[in-house]
Amino acid sequence: MEKSREYVIVAEDLWMTLEGKQVLKGVDLRVESGEALVILGRSGAGKSVLLQCIIGLMTPDSGRIIVDGMEVTAFTTEKEWKKLWMKVGFLFQGGALFDSMTLSENIAFPILKHTGITEKRALDCTEELLSLVGLEGEGKKLPSELSGGMQKRASLARTLALGPSIVLYDEPTSGLDPVTSDSISRLIKDLNRQGGNTSIIVTHDIRLAFQIADHIAMLEDGKVIMAGTPEEFRRSEMEHVSRFIYGSEQPVAGREG
Amino acid sequence: MINSLRQLGRFFIRCARYFGEFILFAVKAMGMLFDRPPFIRETIVQMYHIGVRSVPLIGLAGLSIGIVLGMQTIDILGKFGATQYVAAVVGLSMVEELGPVITALLVAGRAGSGISAELGSMLVTRQIDALKVLAINPVKYLATTRIVACILVLPLLTALADFLGILGGMFIGVTQAGIHYQAYIYKTLDFIYITDFLPGLIKASVFGLIIGTVACHEGFKVQGGTEGVGRSTTSAVVLSSLMILISDVYMTKILVTLWPEVG
């Protein structure tokens, strides 16, 4: 218990089966306050499932998850979940913006539902958040009128609307061009450094991982096969790790030479 | 033989499971009715989408049914020299049976399918999960509001269908049977009391509950991407139409027993 107080997010011995397949096999994870942890891994390694277990969209078969001192895996009431969701933001891979609402309405929605402030003040907050993600003046547009990158940024603004201290990002740069991807990674880094947020970022994107990570954990076949700093990952001679980072074309020996 | 029995058994188990899930969903959604926040604005928006946007369809249907009923009734009553009773037959048929049932079937087709498709798409694109992580209960925000809107709107639409049906019957009575329009109105008022409307409006509210709950339940259990959305939309219309027709039989029996003057 003493140990869990040092970390904002603790996952212990998580096991989970999905459609007959074991997707998490005893995953252990610890994230310190203000840290940006990047979870790397191939498709189907269990990264997104792990993230969804932490936020409560999926329930592990066994194991323990503690977020900000709350034991998520022992939650029984909606009130407990609500307390968690007010503190933790989640950026969905596809953005998951409400397509019947404009961008401003999307972002103002959680503010109006939870804070009791006036609509005018909520719209002011919306403008601030839109300019934070570089979408000033776009508030009246519908999600369908935006590009993938703009949708991701708008979704990030909505995720930040309630001022979460922890933000979980599910593939924040997937399907984006390198320039947009860079702007999103800069945004995540700024939020992490200046806002003091604790973040977990699930990605395949090695560039993003090395740009923003304080620590990296690599998931392979439902297990954490390596955890360490970006520098430790660069130097790693584990075959799975080096192949993932440098590509299958370049063997470890070649890289060393 | 054993194989057929096994298949029949499986079918009944599937039906029982579906019905159980459906009842639990309805209890869950309606159990949140008085939880805070009340989402009044969302309910009013849904009343507009389900109710106001159905007005042209329901109005036209009520009018045409009244006209057809008038034409056929005049023909039959004419054989007995009782054409003056067309107002009573058309009026009572509309308010007690045709008004609520036709309105419910049309709303199930128009709004029920729309609700199911909308919620199904939201599920597939993870907008329902997004509501959850924004600490908003999706069942309360999406289902309870739509079910309440259906319950409130169906009696109003039924009243509209009843009124236009009676008007359609009057048009035929005046133009084909030569009944003076004032005489037609008096005959209608002689035979139809306000108490005759109430059972139909009660039925309409129950049909609203069925349409809203079936549509939301089907939308929330979509599986298999966009193809699943299509399947759930079809299921929502078929199941709610079936439930409307079956519940109509039971409700008519119950209302006739409890309220003998209805019969």
Side-chain angles (χ1 to χ4, degrees), chain B residues 44 46-57 110 153 157:
Chain B
I44 293 168
Q46 290 309 319
M47 283 176 75
Y48 171 77
H49 285 304
I50 300 162
V52 178
R53 288 190 163 182
S54 298
V55 164
L57 176 69
R110 202 201 78 85
V153 143
L157 290 172

Side-chain angles (χ1 to χ4, degrees), chain B:
Chain B
M1 178 69 184
I2 288 173
N3 224 11
S4 305
L5 278 174
R6 193 175 289 151
Q7 278 178 352
L8 195 67
R10 280 197 192 124
F11 171 75
F12 280 115
I13 288 169
R14 267 208 312 274
C15 287
R17 187 175 292 157
Y18 177 85
F19 201 64
E21 282 175 4
F22 173 77
I23 297 288
L24 285 176
F25 181 81
V27 169
K28 188 178 174 186
M30 293 313 289
M32 291 174 183
L33 186 58
F34 298 107
D35 290 359
R36 293 192 67 81
F39 295 135
I40 292 170
R41 195 172 170 172
E42 179 64 14
T43 307
I44 293 168
V45 169
Q46 290 309 319
M47 283 176 75
Y48 171 77
H49 285 304
I50 300 162
V52 178
R53 288 190 163 182
S54 298
V55 164
L57 176 69
I58 302 300
L60 193 67
L63 193 68
S64 61
I65 287 167
I67 289 172
V68 171
L69 203 59
M71 287 195 285
Q72 290 188 335
T73 312
I74 283 170
D75 201 32
I76 296 163
L77 290 175
K79 289 175 185 165
F80 304 100
T83 43
Q84 73 270 27
Y85 290 107
V86 65
V89 175
V90 171
L92 286 170
S93 306
M94 281 308 295
V95 299
E96 285 182 2
E97 188 55 38
L98 290 174
V101 173
I102 297 293
T103 303
L105 290 175
L106 289 174
V107 173
R110 202 201 78 85
S113 59
I115 292 171
S116 173
E118 184 189 8
L119 300 192
S121 308
M122 285 183 78
L123 189 84
V124 169
T125 53
R126 309 210 62 186
Q127 293 174 52
I128 289 181
D129 281 340
L131 276 174
K132 266 191 208 171
V133 300
L134 292 171
I136 290 156
N137 188 315
V139 174
K140 178 165 170 55
Y141 180 71
L142 298 171
T144 308
T145 51
R146 282 161 175 76
I147 296 170
V148 170
C150 284
I151 292 171
L152 295 176
V153 143
L154 255 284
L156 299 175
L157 290 172
T158 299
L160 176 77
D162 290 348
F163 174 73
L164 288 171
I166 290 169
L167 213 64
M170 188 172 86
F171 174 71
I172 295 300
V174 171
T175 56
Q176 280 195 13
I179 304 168
H180 192 271
Y181 77 93
Q182 275 181 333
Y184 193 98
I185 293 169
Y186 285 135
K187 261 295 184 259
T188 304
L189 294 174
D190 269 352
F191 280 92
I192 304 168
Y193 302 107
I194 196 75
T195 47
D196 291 315
F197 279 94
L198 290 178
L201 299 183
I202 293 169
K203 273 187 194 177
S205 277
V206 176
F207 294 154
L209 174 70
I210 291 171
I211 294 166
T213 312
V214 171
C216 293
H217 181 238
E218 286 299 314
F220 267 97
K221 68 180 192 68
V222 163
Q223 281 178 334
T226 45
E227 200 188 329
V229 175
R231 271 200 305 270
S232 86
T233 308
T234 309
S235 299
V237 177
V238 172
L239 287 169
S240 48
S241 302
L242 271 176
M243 284 196 201
I244 286 164
L245 295 172
I246 293 168
S247 65
D248 185 41
V249 175
Y250 286 101
M251 272 196 293
T252 305
K253 179 68 188 159
I254 291 166
L255 287 168
V256 165
T257 310
L258 294 177
W259 212 325
E261 59 266 36
V262 171

Side-chain angles (χ1 to χ4, degrees), chain A:
Chain A
M1 202 63 206
E2 191 60 33
K3 203 174 178 183
S4 67
R5 277 193 201 138
E6 298 168 15
Y7 299 98
V8 177
I9 300 169
V10 178
E12 284 175 352
D13 197 25
L14 292 184
W15 291 80
M16 184 164 175
T17 311
L18 212 61
E19 291 167 1
K21 193 190 167 217
Q22 195 84 54
V23 283
L24 296 180
K25 300 175 182 170
V27 170
D28 285 302
L29 209 70
R30 276 165 172 69
V31 189
E32 284 177 41
S33 176
E35 183 186 0
L37 172 78
V38 171
I39 301 176
L40 281 177
R42 294 191 304 186
S43 301
K47 310 181 297 292
S48 292
V49 171
L50 175 60
L51 213 60
Q52 290 182 65
C53 286
I54 294 170
I55 193 75
L57 291 175
M58 286 184 172
T59 312
D61 300 333
S62 65
R64 223 156 67 109
I65 298 170
I66 298 166
V67 179
D68 203 18
M70 299 178 277
E71 190 172 343
V72 173
T73 34
F75 280 179
T76 51
T77 63
E78 204 192 316
K79 210 174 162 187
E80 290 171 310
W81 284 113
K82 202 170 168 181
K83 203 174 159 193
L84 174 84
W85 290 329
M86 295 294 283
K87 284 187 175 179
V88 184
F90 189 92
L91 180 73
F92 287 87
Q93 191 174 350
L97 289 167
F98 305 123
D99 46 21
S100 58
M101 298 181 191
T102 63
L103 289 197
S104 291
E105 287 166 346
N106 259 284
I107 299 163
F109 181 73
I111 303 172
L112 286 169
K113 296 295 172 209
H114 293 298
T115 59
I117 64 171
T118 61
E119 205 161 328
K120 193 189 170 302
R121 275 196 64 201
L123 285 173
D124 290 342
C125 295
T126 300
E127 275 308 311
E128 270 176 43
L129 286 162
L130 280 172
S131 76
L132 180 75
V133 297
L135 288 174
E136 50 272 76
E138 307 280 357
K140 289 204 170 78
K141 286 188 176 166
L142 286 166
S144 56
E145 297 172 290
L146 302 175
S147 67
M150 286 163 99
Q151 285 191 25
K152 279 245 166 87
R153 280 189 277 162
S155 182
L156 181 55
R158 188 184 65 185
T159 304
L160 301 172
L162 293 174
S165 54
I166 301 164
V167 187
L168 311 179
Y169 302 86
D170 191 5
E171 303 277 8
T173 57
S174 70
L176 302 180
D177 62 87
V179 178
T180 316
S181 174
D182 274 352
S183 79
I184 294 221
S185 62
R186 265 198 307 276
L187 199 59
I188 296 173
K189 199 173 177 177
D190 288 348
L191 287 167
N192 206 241
R193 301 282 185 273
Q194 291 161 20
N197 286 344
T198 305
S199 313
I200 298 184
I201 304 108
V202 156
T203 186
H204 302 106
D205 188 341
I206 300 295
R207 258 160 54 95
L208 171 79
F210 285 120
Q211 273 171 10
I212 61 179
D214 294 315
H215 280 93
I216 299 175
M218 184 152 179
L219 228 62
E220 177 76 25
D221 195 24
K223 284 181 268 191
V224 177
I225 56 164
M226 184 180 166
T229 62
E231 202 41 52
E232 285 168 341
F233 265 77
R234 278 199 190 93
R235 289 201 307 263
S236 172
E237 291 185 7
M238 274 180 77
E239 196 186 343
H240 276 113
V241 175
S242 57
R243 275 204 178 161
F244 192 85
I245 296 174
Y246 298 102
S248 56
E249 308 284 313
Q250 192 172 1
V252 178
R255 177 168 55 86
E256 283 170 347

